[in-house]
Amino acid sequence: MPKPLSLPFDPIARADELWQQRWGPVPSMAAITSIMRAHQILLGEVDAVVKPYGLTFARYEALVLLTFSQAGELTMSKIGERLMVHPTSVTNTVDRLMAAGLVAKRPNPHDGRGTLASITEKGREVVEAATKDLMEIEFGLGAYDAEECAEIFALLRPLRVAAADFEEA
């Protein structure tokens, strides 16, 4: 899909000006609009890289999480907890990875109701190759240097704390 032509002005800055004229200054409106646009841009770039591997970024994240686990397997509930997604999303993600031969599922021997998802050898190969490709494009953040990436992380951290993603030490 060809890139659309660039506008001769920043549409978010223009929207902010018009917003201020109508409702007064609300810096959070321009910030959220910028964040949402950045999300679209980054997801598009990252998904374009992982798509040839039969992945979405969500599936890639699940494979990475399994790779990071000590035994290469986690319970479905632990995957949802760590990825901060609904159990239905975990099931959908793992089922698609399983259909592609990247993940296997088995009953949890420590919990008769639970299921373990484990990364397969093919899954390990795919996650390594996709990670190499994502690192080459700097996960879509090549416009920023390492210090700026750290600043972005720090700026967004209070939002994640306020959303109760984790308890700040």
Side-chain angles (χ1 to χ4, degrees), residues 51-74:
K51 187 176 183 178
Y53 297 101
L55 299 174
T56 61
F57 191 64
R59 290 181 213 148
Y60 169 78
E61 285 182 303
L63 285 177
V64 168
L65 181 62
L66 289 170
T67 301
F68 287 163
S69 69
Q70 219 168 11
E73 65 182 9
L74 291 169

Side-chain angles (χ1 to χ4, degrees), residues 76-95:
M76 300 286 278
S77 59
K78 184 66 72 177
I79 293 170
E81 177 186 304
R82 297 278 167 84
L83 296 179
M84 296 171 277
V85 297
H86 191 273
T88 304
S89 296
V90 174
T91 300
N92 185 333
T93 297
V94 170
D95 285 351

Side-chain angles (χ1 to χ4, degrees), residues 25-61:
V26 182
S28 56
M29 187 285 297
I32 184 78
T33 307
S34 293
I35 291 169
M36 298 303 270
R37 178 61 185 135
H39 176 262
Q40 291 172 333
I41 293 166
L42 294 171
L43 198 56
E45 288 188 31
V46 168
D47 277 347
V49 169
V50 298
K51 187 176 183 178
Y53 297 101
L55 299 174
T56 61
F57 191 64
R59 290 181 213 148
Y60 169 78
E61 285 182 303

